[in-house]
């Protein structure tokens, strides 16, 4: 019987020895191997499992050392008699939903509203096309580096260093790494007494909102903005003032004057990902000074600003110590890590530390030391470099795919690049409907609705993100999403008028196109010009400084305009019907759906 | 120059390769190796450092892969040009105390009282005699086991399992381990929807006090009791009702009736370490049912109840779902771990989860999975077994030392054994004074004062704990502490009346003692009898069932009574002057200070 309970899982990450040991322990604790019962001999068990006898012997030795089993002279291996002495029998109390409720709801003194929002399915990684911003596919996780850091953190000298201490002092090694490696990237000079480690960024925001907001406080927040922040402020009892956001970030005007606290995400606005420009930053600090306001700066996701040179954080420009700065280790790590930090005036840090001790205590010193080593070993810088490389490629793939498949509706891009962009759903389709339909086909996209605090504020946009989707999947994901959009909007599509198609035939085509220039704009509104040379060569120039060029061939065949780029449109051949009215040229799929249109400049 | 910055630390836990890599990264980030500057060749650096060339080559390869450096054909190794592109220069903002304050104090909407209490010096491990309960010397930390668990937790498949998910669902593996391995020890049967993982026990208590107490709530707490719990309840605005504690645990009487919430530590009362008896537990549940009360049970430190068979937790006896149970992984792990949990009715768990998400978010899934593996590998059971073995030995050493050195004042012991006991400071010495004086001699002890919520409640007791002190140090620590006590109380000592010493001479001694019985009680009030046989043999029996016996020799020499046990009193020879009045025998140190007294039963 005992033997049957000991089996090995070839796919287990555990060594054979560990597996044997684990099965025996489970058997003992589960009661399958009662105290005093005899276990199979190492020889017998080794045979049965088909492992080296020594593997079993070592597992048994470990179990003996740990007091689970004992070897009796000339008799065999036995489960120790008093092994379960300190366990008491479980009761038969009804559990779970079945259990009596004792009217808890009546007894609650505090009710928490669930954070509004979009809920990503727990099994998102099993979906073929998860375009979910802020989720990271495992390939991005620096497993080996983190493992090295945690192995070192567990080095005895470090454990002796204080992992056993209670107290409120953070790991000086981590403070120093943040001070000297992370904050300089953000233009922030800080001393140790201006930094507090928190159990993640959410915890940092909780502490600050509790400390700085109550029923007597008016707090300015971005609209659209972070729903979790609004939830925290409402729980603190604060009144919210909504400040709109445009391409320059949060709008700075005299409406701000009434607020005592201003919450802002300048480097990578949530959710639009626009970066607040320098003028706005200076204006914001000026308003804050004039009205003696406090600013909570969430430096969210700044590590994804990899285009152009980054702005310094507000905290870095803050001469008056009005800014409380919140950040954390790269988001890619955060779900597994939960290390955030606040940088602010010592007086505020002092209060935040006391509150932190009550709320959650000091974040694990082992985790703090692990993070410190991760930084000091340069893994942080290396991880960012790698992240930017990978995400940059995915970003290009997304732009290329949209250029190839997307038509008509507006798209807004982050100002400093990033990992996601927003697409307007077609007029006649609600974004929530689109999100549902897409999910049924394994395409996960996020609607904009939950980012609006005043309700009903949705602009009917959805987000396409690339943090959770590998490069090679992006094209097909966009293709299938656009196909879905076309199905949902089928009847709104422009089609050739069957009564008067007005298609050019082969001869007209050659005559109209040979030596002509075609002008249009990419979906991201870069100008693009294509030269069709009489000899069949084709040259394309795109971007304000022609930064993106390509060459290809064009020809006419059976009344169809055919073209093939070497890079653009994935280097694939395209065959279209063509109409020209005045100087507007239109391409149609054989069958009649409009593909695109442009301005045709005839050759003189 | 560059070379000077690359050096190796023979004591570093890092490999040579990692150290080289780390130095180079620090040099680049610190600006010592400017972008584009040339690094020493691997050959040169290897020579200079006296390491194998391949070590340097591998470090350089890693750095190249990570984008820090690049090799240029026929030229050498260089720092990459754009390596610091995404860093902005730090500002010259005045920092720390020097910085302007922006009147933060005025702006604070919430002030936190620091937890009252005794502050253990951060360098406590450098003190020769830290008798600090609840701090653990590094020898008790299961470093290797924890390292194994965290290594496995970082196995990619587990990372893919969801470490990258946001969300509020805890690691099912950890829930299952707690459900099946930890809770049965406590007599608790729970379903998954009755368990919430928290960021440590403090965080669990914070969530429950916020949910169940506000200005309209009267909460009964133990007196003496946990100061941090009182702090949490006051912050929630609750009114406190103090319920006294005796040898049976918290007193249960009709005073409890007024409270809506009762907070209790039944298995190991904080701070007295007494265990609440079964009758009290049933009485408490009955009162709670009668008055529809909620009970918060902190199952603090239960793993240290290793004497006798443990009581089940209140939650295990609770038929009406009134008990919210708080516990965590063994305290020995907690400073480095911060994993606690709540077991309660699903309705309450549901609310606690929503609040947890706001306050701190879900505790790190990597840490959760590491803890799950730590449990599933049986390391938890093994660690407890080992802990009990080690702490049990230390406990005996403490009792033996006190028996040998301690005189006069009262001592209270935990009812279920444990890791600490309380000693009354001599009447004329305030415990705080004693604590200060002792600390100056490297002896750390804790006063009882901060456990009393009504203020001034100190009974002038101090605690001696053995979790932080190795067995071999205990005797000397107690010895030096008792010496200090004697110095502080010098003048109160009983001394022989020089006018009329009434010492027995050798002949009287032999006559009085040969064949007599000596009866007394040990400091922990076990009866003890010593037979002095005429032939010089000596037999001692101690304990209510003579469970502790020893043999030895006694003799008389130069008017001194001499004795030597084989085990008792560390088997050391003792020489005393003796007086006998009526049937009371007193031993005096040569010089005249009273050592001890007992009842002498003359041989018939």
């Amino acid at each position: 019987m005992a033997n049957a309970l000991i089996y090995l899982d070839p796919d287990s990450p555990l060594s054979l020895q560990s597996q044997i040991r684990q099965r025996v322990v489970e058997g003992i604790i589960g009661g399958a191997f009662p105290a005093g019962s005899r276990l199979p001999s190492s020889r017998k068990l080794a045979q049965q499992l088909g492992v080296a006898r020594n593997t079993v012997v070592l597992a048994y030795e470990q179990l003996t050392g740990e007091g689970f089993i004992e070897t009796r002279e000339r008799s065999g291996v036995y489960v120790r008699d008093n092994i379960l002495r300190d366990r008491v029998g479980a009761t038969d109390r009804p559990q779970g939903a079945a259990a009596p409720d004792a009217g808890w709801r009546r007894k609650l003194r505090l009710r928490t509203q669930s954070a509004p929002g979009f809920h990503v399915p727990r099994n998102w990684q099993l979906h073929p096309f998860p375009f979910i911003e802020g989720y990271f596919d495992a390939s991005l996780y620096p497993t080996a580096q983190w493992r090295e850091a945690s192995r070192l953190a567990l080095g005895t000298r470090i454990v002796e260093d204080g992992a056993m201490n209670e107290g409120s002092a953070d790991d000086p090694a981590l403070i120093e790494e943040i001070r000297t490696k992370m904050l300089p990237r953000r233009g922030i000079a800080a001393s140790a007494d201006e930094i507090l480690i928190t159990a993640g960024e959410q915890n940092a925001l909780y502490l600050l909102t509790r400390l700085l907001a109550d029923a007597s406080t008016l707090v300015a927040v971005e609209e659209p903005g972070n729903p979790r922040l609004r939830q925290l402020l409402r729980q603190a009892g604060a009144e919210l003032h909504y400040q709109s956001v445009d391409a320059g970030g949060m709008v700075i005007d005299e409406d701000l004057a009434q607020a005592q606290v201003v919450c802002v995400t300048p480097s990578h606005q949530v959710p639009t990902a626009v970066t607040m420009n320098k003028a706005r930053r200076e204006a914001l600090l000026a308003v804050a000074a004039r009205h003696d306001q406090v600013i909570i700066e969430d430096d969210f996701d700044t590590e994804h600003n990899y285009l152009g040179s980054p702005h310094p954080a507000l905290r870095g420009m803050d001469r008056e110590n009005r800014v409380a700065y919140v950040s954390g280790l790269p988001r890619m790590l955060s779900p597994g890590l939960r290390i955030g930090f606040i940088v602010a005036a010592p007086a505020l840090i002092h209060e935040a530390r006391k509150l932190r001790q009550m709320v959650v205590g000091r974040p694990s010193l082992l985790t703090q030391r692990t993070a410190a080593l991760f930084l000091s070993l340069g893994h942080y810088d290396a991880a960012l470099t790698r992240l930017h490389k990978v995400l940059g490629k995915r970003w290009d793939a997304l732009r290329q795919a949209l250029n190839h498949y997307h038509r008509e509706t507006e798209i807004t891009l982050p100002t400093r690049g990033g990992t996601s962009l927003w697409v307007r759903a077609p007029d006649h389709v609600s974004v929530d409907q689109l999100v549902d339909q897409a999910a049924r086909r394994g395409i996960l996209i996020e609607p904009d609705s939950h980012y609006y605090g005043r309700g009903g504020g949705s602009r009917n946009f959805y987000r396409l993100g690339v943090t959770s989707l590998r490069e090679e999947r992006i094209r097909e994901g966009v293709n299938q999403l656009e196909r879905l959009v076309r199905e949902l909007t089928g009847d709104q599509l422009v089609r050739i008028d069957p009564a008067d198609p007005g298609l050019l035939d082969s001869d007209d085509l050659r005559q109209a196109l040979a030596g002509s220039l075609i002008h249009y704009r990419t979906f991201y509104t870069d100008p693009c010009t294509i030269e069709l040379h009489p000899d069949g060569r084709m040259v394309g120039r795109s971007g304000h400084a022609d930064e993106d060029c390509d060459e290809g061939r064009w020809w006419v065949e059976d009344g169809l305009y055919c073209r093939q780029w070497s890079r653009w449109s994935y280097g694939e051949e395209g065959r279209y019907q063509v109409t020209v009215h005045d100087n507007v040229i239109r391409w149609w799929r054989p069958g009649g759906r409009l593909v695109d249109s442009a301005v045709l400049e005839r050759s003189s």
Side-chain angles (χ1 to χ4, degrees), chain A residues 48 239 283 331 359 414-415 587 596:
Chain A
Q48 175 203 326
E239 187 189 345
R331 249 162 82 233
V359 165
T415 43
W587 293 270
D596 206 353

Side-chain angles (χ1 to χ4, degrees), chain A residues 400-417:
Chain A
Q400 198 179 9
L402 285 166
N403 223 359
H404 189 66
Y405 296 105
H406 183 71
R407 292 290 172 266
E408 282 112 31
T409 72
E410 175 191 357
I411 293 183
T412 50
L413 296 162
T415 43
R416 295 274 166 175

Side-chain angles (χ1 to χ4, degrees), chain A residues 504-510 513 553-564 573-578 590:
Chain A
L504 301 187
D505 66 19
S506 297
D507 296 344
D508 299 340
L509 268 176
R510 284 197 198 83
L513 300 182
R553 296 173 39 252
W554 73 277
W555 66 96
V556 173
E557 201 174 305
D558 320 331
L560 296 179
Y561 161 75
C562 313
R563 62 121 182 85
Q564 181 167 31
E573 182 177 308
R575 309 168 70 86
Y576 310 99
Q577 296 177 316
V578 173

Side-chain angles (χ1 to χ4, degrees), chain A residues 328-466:
Chain A
L329 264 64
R331 249 162 82 233
M332 161 200 49
L333 290 170
S334 69
L337 182 57
R338 287 271 174 258
I339 288 282
F341 53 88
I342 302 173
V343 182
L348 183 57
I349 291 296
H350 177 72
E351 285 299 318
R353 188 183 304 277
K354 285 191 298 178
L355 183 58
R356 181 196 71 178
Q357 290 304 100
M358 278 187 60
V359 165
V360 60
R362 174 183 53 196
S364 156
L365 279 175
L366 269 185
T367 311
Q368 289 195 39
R369 182 54 62 98
T370 305
L373 283 158
F374 187 82
L375 285 156
S376 75
L377 288 165
H379 293 326
Y380 168 70
D381 302 272
L384 283 194
T385 308
R386 177 157 163 277
L387 196 65
H388 290 174
K389 210 189 300 174
V390 175
L391 294 180
K393 280 196 185 138
R394 293 183 183 180
W395 180 245
D396 292 339
L398 179 62
R399 286 160 51 112
Q400 198 179 9
L402 285 166
N403 223 359
H404 189 66
Y405 296 105
H406 183 71
R407 292 290 172 266
E408 282 112 31
T409 72
E410 175 191 357
I411 293 183
T412 50
L413 296 162
T415 43
R416 295 274 166 175
T419 55
S420 70
L421 45 74
W422 290 91
V423 182
R424 183 198 293 279
D427 297 346
H428 303 270
V429 181
S430 93
V431 67
D432 297 319
Q433 182 195 357
L434 180 59
V435 167
D436 290 349
Q437 295 281 340
R440 292 216 188 86
R441 304 192 181 189
I443 307 168
L444 299 179
I445 53 177
E446 181 185 12
D448 63 355
S449 16
H450 59 287
Y451 289 104
Y452 290 85
R454 271 172 300 199
S458 169
R459 293 173 57 228
N460 214 41
F461 274 62
Y462 60 89
R463 172 147 70 177
L464 286 177
V466 293

